[in-house]
Amino acid sequence: MAPGGSACKEVLESHLTFSDYDTVKPKSETNSNITITKSSAMSGGKHGNNSKNGVNDLLKCPICNNLMYPPIHQCPNGHTLCSDCKVRVHNSCPTCRYDLGNIRCLALEKVAESLDLPCRYQNLGCQDIFPYYTKLKHEQNCRFRPYNCPYAGSECSVTGDIPTLVAHLKEDHKVDMHEGSTFNHRYVKSNPHEVENATWMLTVFNCFGRHFCLHFEAFQFGMAQVYMAFLRFMGDDNEAKKFTYSLEVGANGRKLIWQGIPRSIRDSHRKVRDSQDGLIIQRNLALYFSGGDRQELKLRITGRIWKED
């Protein structure tokens, strides 16, 4: 169970945790150390050797050690640093302590135009080489970039490939792992009127050789309190589009059915939730489906995942 959560039943056991929905910030270029299975390189670059000279080192900011992009700043003594770090050091050169002013190193910016550099995810499988000023744009969408942990019940900064994250979810977050493409889950919470924003324990399904994450949570939508269930695909969007899923909830001769395409975990949990891309159940209706005196949530959601031809 995530720290600070209270128990909620779901098939075996689900756990209720409160989420702040913070997005995880990407790590710096020098901090990527997760091993990812290699596959074919993304188009848009070229194979070959990157520019081999000392200029590469000159283009690294001495503070953050990331490559510098225009505007590249320098102090009166010629020491350079990136624009982000210029703000961090309060306009004082970290090497000689002179005021930086607004001097740009135009010569170094010009030299950078002639360089070809490898993707920062080269050690993760990307073997393409890019012109200096297109490298950053490629890296923002590189297919080899690590995935963020899809767990939404607490802050988690872990990144990695899919096998790494599956093992992390199982061992560190203790999520339920299920085999198969169909499911029947029961979500239970006493005093649901007292819960405004909550996330139940994530469930991971393994089917068709891929992994899917089932989310269920309560949150305020406008003036209404709602529950929402949705599925995310552990992989890229182009692969997610090969699958479809359905969710169904109901009782007393009435039912709600949702059918859609699972969203890639490249899209944050908050982005998917805020786009309402899933099965949404207003609280009053959820309590009606729960039966009894409507003082306890007992919601059963069934679903199926299938692969499109």
Side-chain angles (χ1 to χ4, degrees):
M1 188 175 81
S6 57
C8 290
K9 299 175 185 175
E10 175 235 295
V11 183
L12 300 177
E13 186 74 18
S14 287
H15 303 279
L16 181 62
T17 54
F18 293 87
S19 175
D20 55 9
Y21 305 112
D22 283 345
T23 54
V24 178
K25 295 182 180 179
K27 292 188 169 51
S28 68
E29 298 196 21
T30 58
N31 288 340
S32 180
N33 56 8
I34 302 294
T35 301
I36 290 184
T37 304
K38 293 185 178 181
S39 58
S40 58
M42 179 181 180
S43 60
K46 59 185 179 181
H47 289 287
N49 295 324
N50 58 295
S51 302
K52 299 287 187 180
N53 54 55
V55 178
N56 291 15
D57 292 332
L58 291 176
L59 285 166
K60 286 187 178 180
C61 175
I63 299 176
C64 65
N65 207 36
N66 290 335
L67 290 174
M68 296 184 289
Y69 294 90
I72 298 175
H73 298 278
Q74 70 174 23
C75 75
N77 290 325
H79 303 125
T80 57
L81 76 167
C82 70
S83 55
D84 288 339
C85 289
K86 180 176 183 288
V87 176
R88 294 183 190 135
V89 299
H90 305 291
N91 207 42
S92 176
C93 176
T95 303
C96 65
R97 305 304 177 186
Y98 270 76
D99 288 341
L100 289 167
N102 291 303
I103 306 172
R104 285 179 61 177
C105 187
L106 299 178
L108 195 56
E109 292 179 9
K110 188 68 176 178
V111 169
E113 294 179 2
S114 66
L115 297 181
D116 292 329
L117 298 175
C119 172
R120 66 181 286 190
Y121 304 119
Q122 184 181 48
N123 64 320
L124 305 180
C126 184
Q127 300 301 315
D128 284 351
I129 304 297
F130 296 87
Y132 190 85
Y133 289 127
T134 63
K135 173 179 176 289
L136 192 61
K137 182 177 180 180
H138 157 79
E139 290 171 348
Q140 292 172 348
N141 297 288
C142 179
R143 60 176 294 186
F144 293 96
R145 71 193 190 277
Y147 296 90
N148 293 323
C149 173
Y151 190 79
S154 64
E155 292 186 35
C156 185
S157 59
V158 171
T159 63
D161 63 355
I162 300 304
T164 298
L165 291 183
V166 170
H168 163 68
L169 289 169
K170 182 178 180 180
E171 296 169 8
D172 298 328
H173 293 299
K174 311 300 181 184
V175 306
D176 289 334
M177 299 284 181
H178 293 274
E179 299 289 332
S181 58
T182 61
F183 46 90
N184 185 341
H185 283 232
R186 187 171 183 238
Y187 297 94
V188 177
K189 179 68 179 76
S190 59
N191 301 320
H193 294 281
E194 298 177 1
V195 178
E196 294 184 356
N197 293 282
T199 299
W200 274 256
M201 177 64 80
L202 182 72
T203 304
V204 176
F205 295 92
N206 181 14
C207 56
F208 307 104
R210 310 307 295 264
H211 290 86
F212 302 81
C213 300
L214 178 63
H215 298 262
F216 184 73
E217 66 180 79
F219 65 97
Q220 192 78 20
F221 178 59
M223 298 298 293
Q225 183 71 31
V226 300
Y227 296 93
M228 181 175 177
F230 57 93
L231 198 72
R232 288 204 290 168
F233 173 73
M234 296 188 72
D236 283 338
D237 186 62
N238 61 330
E239 291 292 321
K241 292 177 180 177
K242 298 177 182 179
F243 298 92
T244 304
Y245 76 101
S246 65
L247 299 173
E248 181 178 316
V249 61
N252 303 319
R254 295 168 177 79
K255 68 173 64 174
L256 291 176
I257 299 175
W258 165 268
Q259 180 173 312
I261 297 172
R263 296 281 288 272
S264 166
I265 60 172
R266 294 289 190 198
D267 290 335
S268 69
H269 168 269
R270 181 175 182 175
K271 181 178 180 180
V272 179
R273 186 206 67 176
D274 290 351
S275 68
Q276 306 163 47
D277 193 0
L279 176 66
I280 297 178
I281 315 158
Q282 290 194 0
R283 180 162 60 188
N284 288 339
L285 185 57
L287 294 176
Y288 173 76
F289 287 152
S290 298
D293 57 5
R294 301 191 182 189
Q295 296 303 309
E296 184 177 26
L297 180 72
K298 296 179 180 179
L299 203 60
R300 185 175 298 278
I301 295 180
T302 60
R304 181 170 73 94
I305 306 168
W306 66 93
K307 189 173 183 179
E308 298 291 351
D309 296 330

PDB file of all heavy atoms in Angstrom, residues 122-135:
ATOM      1  N   GLN A 122      21.803   7.456 -26.920  1.00  0.00           N
ATOM      2  CA  GLN A 122      22.607   6.521 -27.699  1.00  0.00           C
ATOM      3  C   GLN A 122      22.842   5.223 -26.934  1.00  0.00           C
ATOM      4  O   GLN A 122      22.766   4.128 -27.500  1.00  0.00           O
ATOM      5  CB  GLN A 122      23.951   7.168 -28.058  1.00  0.00           C
ATOM      6  CG  GLN A 122      24.845   6.311 -28.955  1.00  0.00           C
ATOM      7  CD  GLN A 122      26.167   6.999 -29.251  1.00  0.00           C
ATOM      8  OE1 GLN A 122      26.826   7.505 -28.350  1.00  0.00           O
ATOM      9  NE2 GLN A 122      26.548   7.033 -30.516  1.00  0.00           N
ATOM     10  N   ASN A 123      23.121   5.334 -25.640  1.00  0.00           N
ATOM     11  CA  ASN A 123      23.382   4.133 -24.848  1.00  0.00           C
ATOM     12  C   ASN A 123      22.114   3.329 -24.579  1.00  0.00           C
ATOM     13  O   ASN A 123      22.175   2.205 -24.080  1.00  0.00           O
ATOM     14  CB  ASN A 123      24.046   4.501 -23.515  1.00  0.00           C
ATOM     15  CG  ASN A 123      23.141   5.338 -22.627  1.00  0.00           C
ATOM     16  OD1 ASN A 123      22.445   6.228 -23.120  1.00  0.00           O
ATOM     17  ND2 ASN A 123      23.144   5.074 -21.331  1.00  0.00           N
ATOM     18  N   LEU A 124      20.947   3.880 -24.950  1.00  0.00           N
ATOM     19  CA  LEU A 124      19.684   3.171 -24.775  1.00  0.00           C
ATOM     20  C   LEU A 124      19.183   2.562 -26.079  1.00  0.00           C
ATOM     21  O   LEU A 124      18.124   1.936 -26.092  1.00  0.00           O
ATOM     22  CB  LEU A 124      18.625   4.114 -24.200  1.00  0.00           C
ATOM     23  CG  LEU A 124      19.009   4.812 -22.885  1.00  0.00           C
ATOM     24  CD1 LEU A 124      17.884   5.715 -22.419  1.00  0.00           C
ATOM     25  CD2 LEU A 124      19.356   3.801 -21.817  1.00  0.00           C
ATOM     26  N   GLY A 125      19.920   2.793 -27.179  1.00  0.00           N
ATOM     27  CA  GLY A 125      19.556   2.148 -28.434  1.00  0.00           C
ATOM     28  C   GLY A 125      19.508   3.032 -29.651  1.00  0.00           C
ATOM     29  O   GLY A 125      19.522   2.537 -30.776  1.00  0.00           O
ATOM     30  N   CYS A 126      19.426   4.346 -29.501  1.00  0.00           N
ATOM     31  CA  CYS A 126      19.345   5.233 -30.661  1.00  0.00           C
ATOM     32  C   CYS A 126      20.743   5.444 -31.234  1.00  0.00           C
ATOM     33  O   CYS A 126      21.613   5.999 -30.568  1.00  0.00           O
ATOM     34  CB  CYS A 126      18.728   6.576 -30.292  1.00  0.00           C
ATOM     35  SG  CYS A 126      18.489   7.661 -31.719  1.00  0.00           S
ATOM     36  N   GLN A 127      20.965   5.032 -32.477  1.00  0.00           N
ATOM     37  CA  GLN A 127      22.282   5.110 -33.098  1.00  0.00           C
ATOM     38  C   GLN A 127      22.382   6.222 -34.132  1.00  0.00           C
ATOM     39  O   GLN A 127      23.349   6.287 -34.885  1.00  0.00           O
ATOM     40  CB  GLN A 127      22.610   3.764 -33.761  1.00  0.00           C
ATOM     41  CG  GLN A 127      22.635   2.591 -32.781  1.00  0.00           C
ATOM     42  CD  GLN A 127      23.653   2.782 -31.676  1.00  0.00           C
ATOM     43  OE1 GLN A 127      24.785   3.178 -31.920  1.00  0.00           O
ATOM     44  NE2 GLN A 127      23.246   2.498 -30.439  1.00  0.00           N
ATOM     45  N   ASP A 128      21.384   7.097 -34.203  1.00  0.00           N
ATOM     46  CA  ASP A 128      21.398   8.158 -35.203  1.00  0.00           C
ATOM     47  C   ASP A 128      22.237   9.351 -34.748  1.00  0.00           C
ATOM     48  O   ASP A 128      22.402   9.610 -33.555  1.00  0.00           O
ATOM     49  CB  ASP A 128      19.975   8.628 -35.502  1.00  0.00           C
ATOM     50  CG  ASP A 128      19.226   7.644 -36.388  1.00  0.00           C
ATOM     51  OD1 ASP A 128      19.881   6.707 -36.899  1.00  0.00           O
ATOM     52  OD2 ASP A 128      18.008   7.802 -36.562  1.00  0.00           O
ATOM     53  N   ILE A 129      22.742  10.083 -35.746  1.00  0.00           N
ATOM     54  CA  ILE A 129      23.547  11.288 -35.535  1.00  0.00           C
ATOM     55  C   ILE A 129      22.767  12.481 -36.088  1.00  0.00           C
ATOM     56  O   ILE A 129      22.170  12.400 -37.159  1.00  0.00           O
ATOM     57  CB  ILE A 129      24.912  11.177 -36.246  1.00  0.00           C
ATOM     58  CG1 ILE A 129      25.655   9.917 -35.778  1.00  0.00           C
ATOM     59  CG2 ILE A 129      25.749  12.415 -36.005  1.00  0.00           C
ATOM     60  CD1 ILE A 129      26.008   9.907 -34.314  1.00  0.00           C
ATOM     61  N   PHE A 130      22.802  13.603 -35.375  1.00  0.00           N
ATOM     62  CA  PHE A 130      21.992  14.750 -35.767  1.00  0.00           C
ATOM     63  C   PHE A 130      22.811  16.029 -35.792  1.00  0.00           C
ATOM     64  O   PHE A 130      23.736  16.197 -34.987  1.00  0.00           O
ATOM     65  CB  PHE A 130      20.821  14.929 -34.789  1.00  0.00           C
ATOM     66  CG  PHE A 130      19.855  13.794 -34.797  1.00  0.00           C
ATOM     67  CD1 PHE A 130      20.066  12.695 -33.984  1.00  0.00           C
ATOM     68  CD2 PHE A 130      18.766  13.802 -35.640  1.00  0.00           C
ATOM     69  CE1 PHE A 130      19.194  11.623 -33.997  1.00  0.00           C
ATOM     70  CE2 PHE A 130      17.880  12.740 -35.664  1.00  0.00           C
ATOM     71  CZ  PHE A 130      18.093  11.644 -34.848  1.00  0.00           C
ATOM     72  N   PRO A 131      22.480  16.950 -36.703  1.00  0.00           N
ATOM     73  CA  PRO A 131      23.072  18.283 -36.632  1.00  0.00           C
ATOM     74  C   PRO A 131      22.781  18.894 -35.270  1.00  0.00           C
ATOM     75  O   PRO A 131      21.737  18.642 -34.666  1.00  0.00           O
ATOM     76  CB  PRO A 131      22.355  19.056 -37.753  1.00  0.00           C
ATOM     77  CG  PRO A 131      21.918  17.997 -38.713  1.00  0.00           C
ATOM     78  CD  PRO A 131      21.568  16.811 -37.863  1.00  0.00           C
ATOM     79  N   TYR A 132      23.697  19.679 -34.795  1.00  0.00           N
ATOM     80  CA  TYR A 132      23.644  20.191 -33.422  1.00  0.00           C
ATOM     81  C   TYR A 132      22.295  20.808 -33.079  1.00  0.00           C
ATOM     82  O   TYR A 132      21.724  20.529 -32.021  1.00  0.00           O
ATOM     83  CB  TYR A 132      24.756  21.223 -33.240  1.00  0.00           C
ATOM     84  CG  TYR A 132      24.952  21.650 -31.802  1.00  0.00           C
ATOM     85  CD1 TYR A 132      25.751  20.911 -30.937  1.00  0.00           C
ATOM     86  CD2 TYR A 132      24.340  22.799 -31.302  1.00  0.00           C
ATOM     87  CE1 TYR A 132      25.936  21.292 -29.617  1.00  0.00           C
ATOM     88  CE2 TYR A 132      24.514  23.184 -29.988  1.00  0.00           C
ATOM     89  CZ  TYR A 132      25.317  22.436 -29.153  1.00  0.00           C
ATOM     90  OH  TYR A 132      25.484  22.813 -27.854  1.00  0.00           O
ATOM     91  N   TYR A 133      21.767  21.652 -33.968  1.00  0.00           N
ATOM     92  CA  TYR A 133      20.566  22.401 -33.632  1.00  0.00           C
ATOM     93  C   TYR A 133      19.268  21.630 -33.867  1.00  0.00           C
ATOM     94  O   TYR A 133      18.184  22.141 -33.573  1.00  0.00           O
ATOM     95  CB  TYR A 133      20.539  23.731 -34.380  1.00  0.00           C
ATOM     96  CG  TYR A 133      21.569  24.704 -33.844  1.00  0.00           C
ATOM     97  CD1 TYR A 133      22.492  25.317 -34.690  1.00  0.00           C
ATOM     98  CD2 TYR A 133      21.637  24.998 -32.486  1.00  0.00           C
ATOM     99  CE1 TYR A 133      23.444  26.209 -34.194  1.00  0.00           C
ATOM    100  CE2 TYR A 133      22.589  25.870 -31.984  1.00  0.00           C
ATOM    101  CZ  TYR A 133      23.484  26.467 -32.838  1.00  0.00           C
ATOM    102  OH  TYR A 133      24.430  27.345 -32.335  1.00  0.00           O
ATOM    103  N   THR A 134      19.328  20.401 -34.406  1.00  0.00           N
ATOM    104  CA  THR A 134      18.126  19.573 -34.521  1.00  0.00           C
ATOM    105  C   THR A 134      18.140  18.422 -33.522  1.00  0.00           C
ATOM    106  O   THR A 134      17.141  17.728 -33.359  1.00  0.00           O
ATOM    107  CB  THR A 134      17.992  18.995 -35.943  1.00  0.00           C
ATOM    108  OG1 THR A 134      19.103  18.121 -36.209  1.00  0.00           O
ATOM    109  CG2 THR A 134      17.947  20.103 -36.979  1.00  0.00           C
ATOM    110  N   LYS A 135      19.254  18.249 -32.842  1.00  0.00           N
ATOM    111  CA  LYS A 135      19.405  17.159 -31.887  1.00  0.00           C
ATOM    112  C   LYS A 135      18.378  17.252 -30.760  1.00  0.00           C
ATOM    113  O   LYS A 135      17.742  16.258 -30.397  1.00  0.00           O
ATOM    114  CB  LYS A 135      20.823  17.180 -31.322  1.00  0.00           C
ATOM    115  CG  LYS A 135      21.097  16.212 -30.176  1.00  0.00           C
ATOM    116  CD  LYS A 135      22.546  16.331 -29.740  1.00  0.00           C
ATOM    117  CE  LYS A 135      22.862  15.456 -28.539  1.00  0.00           C
ATOM    118  NZ  LYS A 135      22.241  15.951 -27.298  1.00  0.00           N
TER     119      LYS A 135
END
